[in-house]
């Protein structure tokens, strides 16, 4: 491993791993590192640029007076109407992992589904809200908010409803992390039955292809409610 210092960044090149660790600069870049593939580092001559960090942890540089994000440079997608998603999510500093295998083009809906929990979310689960002392799960499908249960007794039940439904609706998502043991088997089975009915209605409404084996839940799916 060798270090090439190009002010104000430090580029740590690991030839064994095939990776480059870019130590970012600027107000929000202190102590933060973005990771790229060595092949992309060489291809785009990334050491020619000054790499900084936004307050929400995206690496960027300025070229010709315009902000250029590192993940867009790697993907060669500069059209802002095309979304680029970090596959492993954007919580914490995950958005600084700019390896090609961790990036993909996606729709705005898919990008939102794979985004972190909003800072104003007081419940702690994606797409779960309180309604009159009960909990509900709403997911946007074809620009419409669809319900996957509105009268759950626990927020964990609504969170599980989201996990079940989202895996049938799209391949791009982040699941809610539900503490093991927080739901009884009876509660888990009830959530599955509610979501099953809603998916069938949505399948008919939008002509969305839902897995035909939806009812053939494995023990792993039924019991692994904290799977990520």
């Amino acid at each position: 491993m060798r270090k090439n210092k190009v002010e104000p960044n430090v580029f740590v090149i690991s030839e064994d791993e095939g990776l480059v660790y870019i130590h970012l600069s600027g107000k929000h870049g202190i102590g933060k590192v973005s990771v790229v593939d060595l092949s992309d580092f060489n291809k785009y001559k990334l050491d020619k640029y000054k790499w900084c960090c936004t307050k929400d942890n995206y690496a960027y540089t300025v070229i010709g007076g315009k902000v250029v994000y590192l993940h867009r440079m790697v993907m060669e997608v500069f059209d802002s109407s095309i979304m680029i998603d970090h596959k492993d999510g954007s919580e914490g500093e995950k958005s600084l992992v700019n390896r090609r295998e961790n990036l993909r083009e996606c729709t705005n809906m898919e990008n939102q589904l794979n985004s972190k929990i909003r800072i104003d979310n007081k419940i702690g689960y994606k797409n779960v809200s309180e309604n009159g002392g009960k909990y509900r799960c709403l997911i946007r499908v074809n620009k419409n908010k669809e319900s996957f249960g509105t009268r759950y007794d626990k927020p964990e039940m609504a969170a599980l409803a989201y996990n079940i439904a989202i895996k049938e609706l799209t391949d791009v998502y982040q699941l809610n992390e539900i503490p093991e043991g927080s739901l009884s088997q009876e509660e888990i089975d009830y959530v599955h039955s509610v979501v099953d009915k809603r998916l069938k209605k949505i399948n008919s409404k939008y002509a969305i292809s839902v897995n035909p084996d939806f009812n053939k839940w494995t023990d792993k799916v039924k019991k692994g409610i904290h799977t990520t």
Side-chain angles (χ1 to χ4, degrees):
M1 185 177 290
R2 69 182 189 276
K3 291 186 178 182
N4 291 342
K5 186 172 183 179
V6 179
E7 295 294 340
N9 300 116
V10 173
F11 301 95
V12 180
I13 301 173
S14 175
E15 295 179 345
D16 291 339
E17 295 178 295
L19 301 175
V20 178
Y21 300 86
I22 304 175
H23 292 252
L24 304 173
S25 62
K27 178 181 178 181
H28 301 292
I30 299 174
K32 295 179 181 178
V33 179
S34 184
V35 184
V36 296
D37 293 310
L38 178 57
S39 57
D40 287 325
F41 178 79
N42 292 328
K43 179 179 180 180
Y44 302 110
K45 298 180 173 58
L46 299 183
D47 55 350
K48 291 175 54 179
Y49 306 102
K50 174 183 176 181
W51 294 101
C52 300
C53 186
T54 65
K55 63 181 180 180
D56 49 354
N57 294 325
Y58 288 93
Y60 75 94
T61 189
V62 178
I63 301 176
K66 295 183 178 180
V67 172
V68 177
Y69 290 99
L70 181 53
H71 59 281
R72 287 191 173 274
M73 183 178 288
V74 169
M75 292 293 288
E76 298 184 7
V77 175
F78 303 102
D79 183 347
S80 60
S81 67
I82 301 175
M83 306 295 294
I84 301 297
D85 185 50
H86 288 75
K87 294 180 183 179
D88 63 357
S90 57
E91 292 94 342
E93 298 181 11
K94 288 183 178 180
S95 53
L96 294 177
V97 180
N98 290 301
R99 300 189 63 190
R100 188 174 294 271
E101 66 180 21
N102 189 46
L103 302 172
R104 61 186 162 201
E105 291 186 23
C106 66
T107 64
N108 183 60
M109 175 184 173
E110 290 171 332
N111 185 259
Q112 292 298 317
L113 291 174
N114 199 34
S115 64
K116 58 187 176 183
I117 296 175
R118 290 166 54 101
I119 59 175
D120 59 351
N121 186 323
K122 297 180 180 180
I123 296 177
Y125 295 115
K126 288 173 65 69
N127 291 65
V128 174
S129 59
E130 186 178 1
N131 183 30
K134 298 289 184 177
Y135 297 89
R136 62 185 178 183
C137 169
L138 299 175
I139 299 176
R140 191 175 294 278
V141 180
N142 285 10
K143 299 183 179 181
N144 297 315
K145 285 188 176 181
E146 297 291 347
S147 167
F148 289 88
T150 61
R151 303 291 295 172
Y152 293 118
D153 293 328
K154 298 179 180 179
E156 289 79 12
M157 295 176 73
L160 176 59
Y162 173 84
N163 287 0
I164 298 169
I166 204 64
K167 288 191 289 186
E168 298 298 326
L169 295 172
T170 179
D171 293 327
V172 181
Y173 51 76
Q174 278 198 7
L175 300 180
N176 285 308
E177 295 187 23
I178 305 172
E180 189 171 6
S182 60
L183 295 176
S184 67
Q185 189 60 51
E186 182 179 358
E187 290 170 329
I188 294 172
D189 291 341
Y190 172 71
V191 174
H192 275 279
S193 67
V194 172
V195 175
D196 186 5
K197 292 177 182 178
R198 288 300 302 153
L199 280 171
K200 289 178 180 177
K201 288 184 178 180
I202 288 173
N203 182 32
S204 175
K205 181 178 179 180
Y206 297 106
I208 295 174
S209 177
V210 175
N211 187 344
D213 294 327
F214 182 78
N215 290 315
K216 299 178 182 178
W217 301 105
T218 64
D219 289 339
K220 180 178 179 181
V221 172
K222 275 197 170 185
K223 297 178 181 178
I225 60 174
H226 65 297
T227 302
T228 58

